[in-house]
Each structure stands twice: as C-alpha cells, then as structure tokens.
Amino acid sequence: MVLAAGAVGHAVIQLARWAGATVIGTVSGPQKAKLAIAAGAHQVINYREGDPAAAIRAIAPDGVDIVAEVALGANLTLDLAVLRTRGTIATYANQGGQAVELNVGQNMVLNTRLQFLVLYTAGPQARAAAVEDVAVAIRDGALPVGEEHGLPLHRFPLHRTADAHRTGGYLADHASCAVRPFRRSRSSGACRCVGADGGRWATARRRECGRG
C-alpha cells in the first residue's frame, strides 16, 4: 500500500509493480486517483471518503505486506488497521509533523516492523543494492515519467536549475521538475540544451556550461 504522492510515491508504485506486487494507492481526490492508476496502482482508495480501512481490507482481507508512508503521525492508525501480521511500515517522511504515538501492545501482537529510511545512513550495501535494482528497472522500461504515466513534469535546461528548484517549491505534490543536461555540439564545441518545451534546441554560451 502506498500512502504517498509526488515523485517518490510515483516511483514506489512503479517499482512495486515491477517487482510483482499488488499495489493499493491511497489518494485525496479524483485527480490523484487518475495519476496513481496511470503510474500502475491496481486499486486506489480515497482516504477522505467513507471507511478507508474497510475498503482496503476488502481488497486485501489478510492485510497488506508493506506500507510506504510519508506522514506517519497522521496515518499510523490507518496503517495498523490494514497491516498484516509481521508486516512492514517503511517511512521516509512525516508530513505535517504530527507526533507519532505507538501502542506497544498492538504492535507487539502484530509483530510490526517499522523501517525508517534516510538514504545517507542506509549503509553502502543497501545503497548499492538499490542502485542495482533501480538500474535494472530503468533498463526494463519500468520507470517512465510524464502525465500519461502518472507524473506530470515541468522541464528545464541545465542552466535554469535554480528556476527548477524555485518552481518545485510551489508545485502541487503530484507534479515534479526535470532538469535536462547539456549536450556538446561536435561541430562547434558549444553546449546545447533542451528547451523547456522538450522540443527545440538552444545554444548556450561556454560560461553556462561551466567552461569559463
């Protein structure tokens, strides 16, 4: 089950599908439901409507194996209501900053595994394994992007990286920015970059390529 939005949640859905999992995405509205389905989710549940735990249990009566979480404090009650025995909650954010309160007895009975994740301290072996798996997924064509694949993109050439960062600060959480690298022209030695529309080429000066 994926309780996430944006680029990371999109990648989680795609990688889970690539790995053979049945993916249930939780969403806050019809637009995000459309994007989650486009990314590859088998089912989507609007967590703002009705009884989301019952709806998820109707799809997975024995509970879900893994929850990918970005707002642990806000969603822990739902997570535990649908987690199977010995299931895992993997969290890489706590959006909203709500405090996390654990019912020790409930989690002991479930044998819950809480996996907190920050890439920098995951360890070299875990990072190397992740890089290898993601590289294979990319070669398999499992990680496409664009609105038709569930992740609308705003494209920027490399010399507008700062603009991409600024834009990313106010984008909706179901869209993302992409920066395209320069390509060197064999004929002139100049650098060329893809325009924001992803189509035409623009020639950049040497100083924009970091060459003086």
Side-chain angles (χ1 to χ4, degrees):
M1 183 173 73
V2 181
L3 284 91
V8 177
H10 175 264
V12 170
I13 292 172
Q14 292 183 321
L15 287 169
R17 277 296 300 258
W18 173 73
T22 298
V23 182
I24 304 170
T26 61
V27 298
S28 59
Q31 175 62 19
K32 290 184 180 179
K34 178 181 177 182
L35 294 172
I37 291 292
H42 293 89
Q43 301 279 349
V44 293
I45 302 296
N46 188 331
Y47 61 81
R48 293 180 174 175
E49 296 179 352
D51 185 343
I56 292 167
R57 282 284 184 175
I59 299 168
D62 296 328
V64 300
D65 296 281
I66 301 174
V67 177
E69 181 62 80
V70 295
L72 186 63
N75 296 328
L76 184 58
T77 298
L78 175 59
D79 294 344
L80 294 176
V82 301
L83 192 70
R84 71 163 177 81
T85 303
R86 297 179 299 280
T88 297
I89 301 172
T91 182
Y92 52 91
N94 189 27
Q95 293 174 2
Q98 183 173 325
V100 177
E101 296 184 5
L102 287 177
N103 181 320
V104 175
Q106 180 186 19
N107 284 280
M108 287 176 64
V109 171
L110 277 174
N111 273 280
T112 306
R113 180 173 183 260
L114 283 169
Q115 175 66 64
F116 294 89
L117 176 63
V118 173
L119 181 64
Y120 311 110
T121 56
Q125 291 182 330
R127 287 196 298 269
V131 168
E132 182 178 351
D133 287 344
V134 170
V136 174
I138 291 172
R139 287 197 294 269
D140 287 348
L143 296 170
V145 294
E147 187 165 3
E148 69 275 19
H149 301 294
L151 186 67
L153 288 179
H154 296 259
R155 302 179 186 273
F156 293 83
L158 185 62
H159 68 283
R160 292 186 59 204
T161 298
D163 292 334
H165 279 283
R166 283 189 287 268
T167 300
Y170 61 79
L171 281 176
D173 59 8
H174 55 267
S176 189
C177 291
V179 177
R180 292 196 174 187
F182 288 103
R183 297 180 183 177
R184 195 174 306 282
S185 169
R186 293 182 180 179
S187 59
S188 64
C191 291
R192 311 173 76 194
C193 59
V194 177
D197 61 0
R200 294 175 297 179
W201 291 95
T203 301
R205 295 181 180 179
R206 288 175 180 267
R207 64 173 178 271
E208 293 173 319
C209 304
R211 297 174 58 206

